[in-house]
Amino acid sequence: MIDSTLTPSLSLSTDPAVNGTHANGTPSMMLDLSVVVPIYNEVETIPHLVKQITDVLKNMNVSYEFICVDDGSTDGSVPLLREIAKERNDVQVVVLRRNYGQSAAMSAGFNQARGRVIVTLDGDLQNEPADIATVYHRLLDGYDLVSGWRKERQDDAVTRLLPSKIANKLIAKVTGVRLHDYGCSLKAYRAEVAKDMHLYGELHRFLPALAYIEGARITEIPVRHHARQFGKSKYGLGRTLRVVMDLLTIYFMKTFLTRPMHVFGPFGIVSIALGSLFGLYLTFLKLFFNEAIGTRPLLMLAVLLIISGIQLFSFGLLAELGMRTYHESQKRPIYRIREIVG
């Protein structure tokens, strides 16, 4: 678990995208808290979800908004959400055009949120809505991200718990972010941190690692977890390979995002050096001992190594150009400032 001695504060970001501007560019009033919940085929859960979450928010004595992001539901969730949003002025519904996945749904919620703090949780009511207040107040102790830990998780031991434990240990080892539970959706973020993370693919599982790359201060606290009451889970063992591929992406971003040549360059240089060494050896045999080298496998290996080395080195140069385009086209600096004093 990542922790540190901090000054309790929750300063307002200097980013205009955080201080009261929606994703569409229209001005908006800054709030204390935005709760973002991705929804996908949860029509039976929605009435209970909305009531429980809004009851919690009303008792927190903060200005808030509750954003439901529908990710292409096909079971009647959208009409129900529209009806609820018309009846309540504290509930906002964002309807995506199709099913993009949870990462896209969370990104849409982050972009729409007006709160200084953003709390996310799943729409299946397995997370305890009362724990919204728990992670929110923990964040006010001076953290940038507070991650929930489902210490007593109510899921199937074989298909959910065992793969999750293995994945959590592997992710913690590779990313350096020591959390017990990466998969818990109940998290609290400072708005500037959440909006600074660009989610693609299925990277929502690695939000603490992405935040850590941005220099966030992270902690983890135990939260409650319930068995699913309605519908069926959208997760299964089939996502294991995707998790591994995303983990490799995160490792590359954490280690080599601003210096990709350090990945491809050494392999390219070693490959060229070995190929050249074998080539010189064969040339020596040909010139001084007049040996036939045209049919020797070593000649093919030497040519292959030299060509592969040149390609790897070229990939490194192209990756360096791509990295510069990535940062400069977005005017995205390679550093993050926490504060300026004086």
Side-chain angles (χ1 to χ4, degrees), residues 38-49:
I39 301 289
Y40 180 62
N41 291 340
E42 297 287 357
V43 67
E44 296 175 290
T45 309
I46 288 171
H48 307 278
L49 177 76

Side-chain angles (χ1 to χ4, degrees), residues 5 62 87 112 135 138 153 200 216 313 321:
T5 303
V62 295
E87 295 174 354
Q112 194 69 13
V135 295
R138 184 59 173 154
R153 187 172 172 182
Y200 303 96
F313 202 81
L321 293 175

Side-chain angles (χ1 to χ4, degrees), residues 99-153:
N99 178 238
Y100 291 92
Q102 191 170 350
S103 291
M106 292 183 69
S107 182
F110 289 161
N111 290 335
Q112 194 69 13
R114 297 177 293 161
R116 294 180 179 87
V117 174
I118 301 174
V119 172
T120 62
L121 67 159
D122 279 334
D124 54 15
L125 275 182
Q126 289 193 262
N127 296 131
E128 171 57 54
D131 285 330
I132 293 172
T134 304
V135 295
Y136 173 79
H137 290 298
R138 184 59 173 154
L139 190 87
L140 298 186
D141 290 337
Y143 294 98
D144 298 308
L145 191 156
V146 176
S147 182
W149 171 18
R150 297 165 293 183
K151 203 168 184 178
E152 298 180 3
R153 187 172 172 182

